[in-house]
Amino acid sequence: MIYIYFDGLVEPQNPRGIATYGYVIYSDNLTVAEGYGLAAEPWSKNATNNVAEYTGLICALKRAIDAGIKSAIIRGDSRLVISQLKGTYKLKSARLKPLYIKAKKLISEMEYAEIEWIPREFNKRADELSRIAYREFLNGKLNYKQCF
């Protein structure tokens, strides 16, 4: 089974900080792919934690689909994102709506996708990758470029 983990963060403040994401894709406990980047233009109104989480998910799904992955268990520690995708929370934010639609579209392109909330301590590598993105931005090594 393929497992997709995603995470996002905003530092030093949320909102309007530096929004980053990270993701990792595993198959049989081996890393198939991982990535990270900026989720929004730094210091902008779109630099929010929820935008970062959704962007991490979308970039991970796009990478998985591009690699030919047809089924996966998708895991994240954002209750909001997971609950919205599962339909237990309503989508109220106009800012998140296009990201939600994109994530749902990508999920629908898979033959099988299960979405699970996990505690933060089980999402360490995706979290670490989002922090690497933050450090690289601070060091001038990372610029904003959408993955989708």
Side-chain angles (χ1 to χ4, degrees):
M1 180 54 70
I2 303 291
Y3 292 88
I4 298 171
Y5 290 78
F6 69 94
D7 202 11
L9 69 79
V10 179
E11 295 286 349
Q13 65 195 29
N14 181 40
R16 295 186 179 267
I18 300 164
T20 63
Y21 66 86
Y23 66 83
V24 60
I25 302 170
Y26 296 105
S27 177
D28 298 323
N29 293 324
L30 298 174
T31 301
V32 173
E34 58 183 29
Y36 58 83
L38 293 174
E41 200 64 55
W43 315 113
S44 72
K45 66 179 182 178
N46 289 326
T48 71
N49 191 58
N50 293 326
V51 166
E53 294 278 357
Y54 265 110
T55 302
L57 170 62
I58 291 166
C59 294
L61 289 168
K62 184 165 178 3
R63 180 84 177 264
I65 290 166
D66 288 349
I69 294 170
K70 302 276 187 218
S71 67
I73 296 175
I74 302 159
R75 294 178 169 168
D77 59 31
S78 169
R79 280 202 193 275
L80 180 89
V81 171
I82 298 297
S83 296
Q84 285 176 341
L85 291 171
K86 291 177 102 175
T88 54
Y89 284 9
K90 291 183 180 180
L91 179 68
K92 298 177 183 176
S93 168
R95 182 178 296 131
L96 296 181
K97 188 172 184 178
L99 298 172
Y100 169 84
I101 290 168
K102 181 72 172 171
K104 289 293 275 187
K105 181 183 179 301
L106 289 167
I107 290 168
S108 75
E109 291 177 20
M110 300 184 94
E111 292 173 7
Y112 173 81
E114 187 176 325
I115 302 164
E116 297 179 348
W117 177 83
I118 56 169
R120 180 166 296 184
E121 58 267 21
F122 296 116
N123 203 20
K124 288 183 179 178
R125 182 62 181 157
D127 176 73
E128 181 182 330
L129 289 165
S130 66
R131 294 179 188 285
I132 288 170
Y134 177 68
R135 286 192 303 272
E136 284 195 11
F137 173 78
L138 292 178
N139 291 326
K141 296 179 181 177
L142 187 63
N143 294 312
Y144 175 61
K145 180 183 173 201
Q146 253 185 345
C147 71
F148 52 94

